[in-house]
Amino acid sequence: MSADVADLAVGVEVAVVADRAVRTATRKPALRAITPEMCMVNLDHRLRIVSASMEFFRVFERSSDAVTGTGLCDLLHPSVRSKVENQLRLLARGERSRFVERILVMRENGTTLSGEFIGSTVHGVGDRLDSLTVVFRPDKNERGNQVACSKKKILSEIDARILEGVASGVSTIQLAANLYMSRGGVEYHVTTLLRKMKVKNRPALISKAYSMGIFGVGSWPPRALPDFVR
């Protein structure tokens, strides 16, 4: 092959690669560059973990044997599980190809980490869905928030209903009528909740409830998650 022909072949190959890159960028927004601090995990169509990067195991403080075959959403903070699961199911059904969410993950030591979740689909032959890929990028300088999800069901059914009412701005009188209780009964349960959550007033009570993940993110009216209700 002459030098001119070789140069032409190289030029054609470069042009083809460039054209593919342009078409890919046009088809969907480009993901940010993958960096070493990102955690990658592959899921099957049932949202179970198939494989993950070493960084994933380090950040989540889990071993491969402990998480392989389990649901990814089980490792998330209760306040974001439902929202992320819905997004992943949309991916699995082919109703979207990518999503980005702000989330909290639960670590083995009981603390939480915040960061960005980027979910996307991986297709094989015939555009068949092979797997789902999720990248978790922890916030910079994030060392683990000490306000984490309690592993105990700390609320009775009536406590949960009263907490929901207070968070929704329902008055004591209306709460009493809704729950077929006396006004004094409602006040008693509110006082008990204040002591249990170690706060001094109702606004602080609701803030603490949200910080602990008792209420799901993005839901209205607020509903106490089953993880906290006995």
Side-chain angles (χ1 to χ4, degrees):
M1 180 182 293
S2 68
D4 290 343
V5 173
D7 289 343
L8 177 61
V10 171
V12 170
E13 182 177 355
V14 170
V16 170
V17 172
D19 178 65
R20 287 175 180 170
V22 170
R23 285 188 283 109
T24 300
T26 303
R27 186 165 54 248
K28 63 181 180 179
L31 293 176
R32 298 178 184 177
I34 303 300
T35 57
E37 67 270 16
M38 288 184 177
C39 309
M40 297 188 67
V41 58
N42 293 316
L43 312 176
D44 62 19
H45 67 285
R46 294 183 180 179
L47 313 185
R48 296 175 303 191
I49 296 173
V50 177
S51 61
S53 65
M54 292 302 296
E55 185 66 9
F56 173 89
F57 298 123
R58 186 190 71 78
V59 170
F60 280 68
E61 299 182 341
R62 314 274 176 154
S63 67
S64 176
D65 292 340
V67 300
T68 301
T70 63
L72 174 63
C73 292
D74 292 339
L75 305 182
L76 305 183
H77 197 272
S79 62
V80 299
R81 283 177 190 164
S82 177
K83 188 175 184 179
V84 173
E85 183 175 358
N86 288 339
Q87 294 278 27
L88 289 171
R89 294 199 182 282
L90 289 175
L91 287 183
R93 293 198 298 264
E95 296 181 26
R96 65 183 311 172
S97 60
R98 179 174 176 262
F99 74 86
V100 179
E101 288 285 357
R102 291 284 307 167
I103 60 118
L104 288 172
V105 301
M106 296 177 59
R107 307 178 80 185
E108 187 65 20
N109 65 5
T111 61
T112 59
L113 281 177
S114 62
E116 187 177 62
F117 240 30
I118 306 171
S120 59
T121 54
V122 178
H123 293 274
V125 179
D127 207 33
R128 177 179 61 86
L129 178 65
D130 272 356
S131 64
L132 307 178
T133 297
V134 175
V135 174
F136 172 62
R137 181 170 52 196
D139 291 335
K140 291 183 178 180
N141 302 320
E142 179 69 65
R143 296 185 178 181
N145 189 342
Q146 295 303 314
V147 179
C149 172
S150 170
K151 296 183 179 180
K152 298 180 180 179
K153 293 182 179 290
I154 61 175
L155 301 175
S156 66
E157 187 69 29
I158 191 64
D159 284 339
R161 301 293 81 81
I162 289 176
L163 190 61
E164 292 167 354
V166 173
S168 300
V170 179
S171 68
T172 299
I173 294 176
Q174 187 60 53
L175 261 178
N178 293 345
L179 299 174
Y180 304 101
M181 298 175 62
S182 67
R183 180 173 178 174
V186 171
E187 293 288 0
Y188 170 79
H189 281 281
V190 170
T191 300
T192 301
L193 285 168
L194 293 174
R195 291 173 180 169
K196 183 180 298 185
M197 307 281 276
K198 299 179 180 179
V199 292
K200 296 182 178 180
N201 52 50
R202 294 190 180 202
L205 176 65
I206 302 311
S207 295
K208 186 71 174 289
Y210 271 107
S211 73
M212 294 177 65
I214 291 177
F215 297 131
V217 173
S219 64
W220 186 265
R223 288 288 178 265
L225 299 174
D227 303 67
F228 297 88
V229 184
R230 58 179 180 268

